[in-house]
Amino acid sequence: MNKIFKHGLTALLVTGMGVLFTTFSAQSTYQQAYASTASSFITKYKSDVSKASTKHNLYGSVMMAQAGLESGWGQSELTTEANNFFGIKGAYNGASVSMATTEYNSNGQMIHTTANFKKYPTAYASFADNGSTLRNGTSWNPKYYSGSWKENAATYEDAANALTGKYATAPNYGQSLITVIQTYNLDQVFGETGSSSSSSSSAQSSSSSALSASSASSATTATATAAPKLAKVKYYKASGKDLVPLSSKYKKYYVYNHVKGSTTSQKRYTWSQLGVRNRVQVYLDMRGVKSNSSTTWYRLRFYSSSKAKKFWVSAPALQFATTYSGTASGALTPSKKSSGYIYNHIVGSKTLSKPVKKVKTLAAANKGFNVNKTALQKTSKGIVLWCRIADGKTKGWIKGSDVVSYPGSVAIVNHKETKSISKNAGSTYLYDHANATGNLQKHYKLNQLNLRVGTKVTVDKIGYKINDHSLWYRITKPNSSTKYWVSGTFLS
């Protein structure tokens, strides 16, 4: 069970494997609420942070920014009562304090309880414990936070971004720390050199004796480095009801907190980091199309709750149901007993969907609705029939199971494929037509048309018989323009 302890500006998320943190509030919120106390907080704890960060070879600016964010600049109840600046759970030398918490269960739903958090004898003990946590990692990976170590992070920005997705689950956590550092010039407070995004403040203070020659040189180099060109993304929101399985090749693709290449706060994860070791179904609630790429990206979550953590993946990591469509005419009657909806797109398709109206709303009109398209969707549970209503202002896709009368007894869709005549073809017939009423017309045996088992034929349409849910295929006789309808058992 995931647990969250709310305090100050952030929330602590504890999993069965370790401690993660999520920052919920926007930067403007903490700046407005705590700007008056931030300076005194920094002055008061500068010595402790410097000592703790030096001991563990970490960036003091990052540690101070974390302490400010996690404790609400020292104003959180956990900080004032237990000297706990980072919301770390457990006991310190046997000392702890019990406080109310909010928890996320495995379904992403929130429940309320209490939990114990470390109680420190001094502020320095809290900073040192935080440094020890980053330096020593987790029980399953001592190098879990190694990206934040000075020997591995060239700048405080690198160190801050390395904590996103590890120390914190919030996709903007690293950028939140960087903003705090730049707002209060914490890199200068601790004598550190920032990267290109903080080069302006470094340049302004380059004449100060506090900046060494090497720091000034680094700032100049950073200024000359061009910022990466970020991709523009057009987003399309959906309802989040599209449940799609991961593809068989999903492990070859990374998971991201944003669309890849669209932001500097990008963070990537492996599926194993997220606890996914097998193909599962995921909920999709948004797609993004990059301006410089043909690959479509999708935002997913692992639980039905809209509050569940969200991630982005590229389309090949997902397996959308194969869908074939075709034009249609006639009318249908929606079911008054249905609890379903009509959608702007077919649910589970690559375009994703949004509900338009409840089926019951349509049924209440006691009339038939004109149809202009039908679609067949191949799912793990079989074929699903969809009909597109196009009747005045009423437009959308309705599932066949929500319909009591159909435009015809055969739903016909377009599909091109090459198949072979199977060994079962000798006991079945070829028909010359399948009209709107579903009546299969004049029939022929295989040998009457000089066809034989193994012959390859081209398919251009699929027919779905409503009454028995059987599939039929329209084929073209080789070296001819003549077309015939055959049952699914006729082909292989």
Side-chain angles (χ1 to χ4, degrees):
M1 181 178 288
N2 295 335
K3 300 181 179 180
I4 290 182
F5 174 76
K6 292 185 177 179
H7 63 98
L9 295 170
T10 60
L12 167 70
L13 174 61
V14 182
T15 70
M17 296 187 295
V19 181
L20 299 174
F21 295 78
T22 299
T23 301
F24 288 133
S25 60
Q27 293 304 315
S28 58
T29 302
Y30 78 74
Q31 286 177 352
Q32 292 172 5
Y34 298 102
S36 61
T37 60
S39 294
S40 59
F41 180 92
I42 293 168
T43 300
K44 182 176 181 179
Y45 297 113
K46 174 186 174 182
S47 178
D48 285 339
V49 170
S50 180
K51 181 180 177 182
S53 59
T54 299
K55 177 180 178 180
H56 297 288
N57 200 30
L58 301 169
Y59 282 93
S61 59
V62 175
M63 184 178 289
M64 180 66 82
Q66 281 189 286
L69 276 178
E70 302 296 341
S71 71
W73 296 111
Q75 303 302 302
S76 75
E77 183 181 5
L78 182 59
T79 302
T80 57
E81 289 192 13
N83 281 318
N84 192 327
F85 289 80
F86 301 91
I88 300 178
K89 195 173 182 182
Y92 182 82
N93 293 334
S96 64
V97 60
S98 180
M99 290 193 175
T101 69
T102 300
E103 300 179 354
Y104 278 139
N105 62 22
S106 59
N107 293 322
Q109 297 172 320
M110 290 179 129
I111 60 175
H112 302 286
T113 185
T114 58
N116 293 326
F117 295 86
K118 290 185 177 182
K119 183 175 182 179
Y120 300 96
T122 64
Y124 172 73
S126 179
F127 295 122
D129 195 38
N130 169 260
S132 177
T133 297
L134 296 184
R135 174 54 61 173
N136 298 316
T138 65
S139 59
W140 72 92
N141 185 359
K143 294 185 178 181
Y144 191 70
Y145 302 112
S146 61
S148 66
W149 302 348
K150 271 193 173 182
E151 64 266 36
N152 296 331
T155 67
Y156 70 79
E157 290 176 317
D158 292 337
N161 285 324
L163 295 175
T164 304
K166 288 182 176 286
Y167 189 97
T169 57
N172 64 339
Y173 187 74
Q175 187 55 52
S176 296
L177 296 176
I178 292 170
T179 300
V180 173
I181 292 169
Q182 294 176 353
T183 299
Y184 300 105
N185 297 317
L186 296 181
D187 56 329
Q188 296 177 41
V189 170
F190 293 96
E192 300 162 355
T193 302
S195 66
S196 59
S197 64
S198 61
S199 59
S200 59
S201 61
S202 297
Q204 291 172 0
S205 60
S206 61
S207 59
S208 171
S209 59
L211 261 181
S212 65
S214 60
S215 297
S217 176
S218 297
T220 303
T221 301
T223 303
T225 303
K229 185 176 181 180
L230 299 178
K232 292 183 179 179
V233 183
K234 187 172 183 179
Y235 295 96
Y236 301 87
K237 292 184 178 180
S239 66
K241 295 184 180 296
D242 295 87
L243 189 60
V244 176
L246 299 178
S247 71
S248 59
K249 299 179 180 179
Y250 79 95
K251 289 184 179 179
K252 295 183 178 181
Y253 301 89
Y254 285 107
V255 186
Y256 294 83
N257 58 340
H258 296 287
V259 174
K260 182 181 179 182
S262 65
T263 176
T264 56
S265 59
Q266 170 184 302
K267 179 67 179 179
R268 75 181 188 186
Y269 312 84
T270 62
W271 293 97
S272 59
Q273 283 179 304
L274 303 179
V276 179
R277 293 174 176 79
N278 299 294
R279 291 179 64 190
V280 297
Q281 293 194 104
V282 295
Y283 294 88
L284 307 178
D285 66 1
M286 188 179 293
R287 64 186 174 98
V289 180
K290 292 171 65 174
S291 59
N292 61 346
S293 172
S294 59
T295 301
T296 301
W297 289 76
Y298 293 89
R299 191 169 73 173
L300 67 83
R301 60 180 188 268
F302 297 104
Y303 306 107
S304 59
S305 172
S306 60
K307 295 180 181 179
K309 178 68 176 174
K310 299 176 179 65
F311 302 93
W312 285 89
V313 294
S314 59
L318 302 167
Q319 182 175 304
F320 290 93
T322 302
T323 304
Y324 308 115
S325 63
T327 58
S329 60
L332 61 75
T333 304
S335 171
K336 294 181 179 180
K337 297 181 179 180
S338 171
S339 59
Y341 292 83
I342 64 171
Y343 298 87
N344 62 337
H345 297 295
I346 295 172
V347 178
S349 64
K350 293 181 178 180
T351 49
L352 303 187
S353 65
K354 285 183 180 180
V356 177
K357 285 184 178 180
K358 287 186 176 181
V359 174
K360 285 184 178 180
T361 303
L362 299 181
N366 291 316
K367 57 168 280 190
F369 290 86
N370 294 323
V371 173
N372 67 351
K373 285 184 179 181
T374 55
L376 299 179
Q377 186 179 42
K378 288 187 176 181
T379 71
S380 59
K381 296 181 179 180
I383 298 295
V384 178
L385 170 65
W386 291 83
C387 299
R388 187 177 186 277
I389 296 173
D391 196 325
K393 293 183 179 180
T394 303
K395 293 180 174 62
W397 287 92
I398 183 171
K399 191 180 293 187
S401 57
D402 291 325
V403 174
V404 293
S405 69
Y406 302 84
S409 57
V410 178
I412 299 176
V413 298
N414 300 317
H415 171 57
K416 290 187 177 181
E417 183 181 5
T418 299
K419 285 182 170 287
S420 298
I421 298 176
S422 75
K423 60 182 180 180
N424 299 318
S427 60
T428 61
Y429 292 99
L430 296 91
Y431 297 84
D432 64 356
H433 189 61
N435 63 21
T437 62
N439 297 319
L440 301 174
Q441 306 301 306
K442 189 174 180 180
H443 59 274
Y444 306 87
K445 296 290 288 185
L446 192 64
N447 56 8
Q448 288 180 280
L449 300 177
N450 295 318
L451 293 174
R452 54 188 179 181
V453 174
T455 300
K456 290 185 176 182
V457 293
T458 301
V459 174
D460 68 350
K461 288 185 183 294
I462 299 177
Y464 178 76
K465 293 187 70 174
I466 306 296
N467 63 341
D468 62 8
H469 309 301
S470 62
L471 288 179
W472 291 75
Y473 297 83
R474 192 172 79 168
I475 65 172
T476 302
K477 181 182 177 181
N479 302 316
S480 168
S481 60
T482 308
K483 300 179 185 295
Y484 300 94
W485 283 92
V486 299
S487 68
T489 58
F490 188 94
L491 302 173
S492 60

